[in-house]
Amino acid sequence: MSGATTELNLATAVDGDDNADYLTLNLANSLRTLDALFNNVSGHNHGAAHNGGQIAAGAIANGTITSAMLADGTIVTADIAPNAVSQLIGSYGPTTPTFSSTTTGTWLNTPITVTGAAQGNPVRVYGFLTWSHSASGAAVDVGLAVDGALSVSFARDYAPFAAAAVSVAFDVLITPSVGSHTFTIQIYNYVAGTASVGTVNAFLGITEVKR
Amino acid sequence: MSGIDVGGKIIYLDQLQADLNAGGVPTPNGISIAGPHQDDASPPPLNAPPLWPSGSLLFTYDNQGNPIDLPPEAQAIVDAYTPVTTLSWRERTTAALEAAQTVKDLEDVLVTAFNAADAPR
């Protein structure tokens, strides 16, 4: 009687076999067994004993795994490379800046500033500060400058009384060019007197949004 | 720009600017003081006078808005500057009481308040 292979129990001929029997029965059955392994539904799946070895990473062509092949909700934080989705470019504070000026009619740099490299994606600029003015009713604008030039103005408030602390919080999106930039909070003082930034903590965060 | 170090002085900036202008140092573009950051700074008492931390620098601007140094003669005017409080007797006393750390501080505050020329009688 014929011998048998280890994994699939395929028949192997031995000297005493009848050629016709081996070819028409044993080999034919073995070929059917092999053929069945390539059925697109019930064929071998590399997932259990006698179903072939585990598929090596190199056996799958780069760029061929699609989103549909991933079970929803299975991507966890550890699967995402650091800074792949968003990246902190830099931050200021929370700390108390000290700045006062009598200058009116122009944008003035405050000490609230961050320098860092952008990669051409949208950048989220967020934070808070407190300003005051020596004149009651004085108007002060607050905005963001990139490399010394105003990029966006996002607040205008009026001092309710002299030396009153006026708090401003902001969260804006800009798209600076690729390269290093200096992001600075500026104020614009409309009224004679002293405008100040400080008193309590201020904060500025710059985060690049990549996806 | 190096600025004039005004650290440790109480400065009402609009008063100092008036002194500079009266002393022959025109400041058509205003003046500014930028001080070092104060990490973990506790909020100062309400109505506290503007005491500038060590290392605070005074400067002005050119017509393009760039920070520049004041002329050398400004130094003497800054050194001679004496703040004239804009706070009322009540505001000064309240701020001093909030800042008091010891019984002796409280005693000094009360004596000062009692002897102030603008104290309500």
Side-chain angles (χ1 to χ4, degrees), chain A residues 92 94-104 106-109 111-112 134 163 193-194 196 199-201, chain B residues 12-14 17 29-44 52-53 56 59 61 65:
Chain A
Y92 168 96
T95 189
T96 303
T98 48
F99 176 76
S100 288
S101 181
T102 64
T103 300
T104 58
T106 189
W107 286 97
L108 303 172
N109 286 341
I112 305 170
S134 60
T194 300
S196 299
T199 306
V200 293
N201 277 338
Chain B
Y12 294 93
L13 209 55
D14 39 359
Q17 183 176 14
N29 297 316
I31 55 175
S32 291
I33 302 176
H37 309 147
Q38 301 179 66
D39 292 333
D40 302 317
S42 299
W52 286 93
S56 296
F59 57 93
Y61 298 93

Side-chain angles (χ1 to χ4, degrees), chain A residues 131-139 158-164 191-194:
Chain A
W131 65 261
S132 60
H133 199 288
S134 60
S136 178
Y158 298 83
F161 53 87
V191 176
T194 300

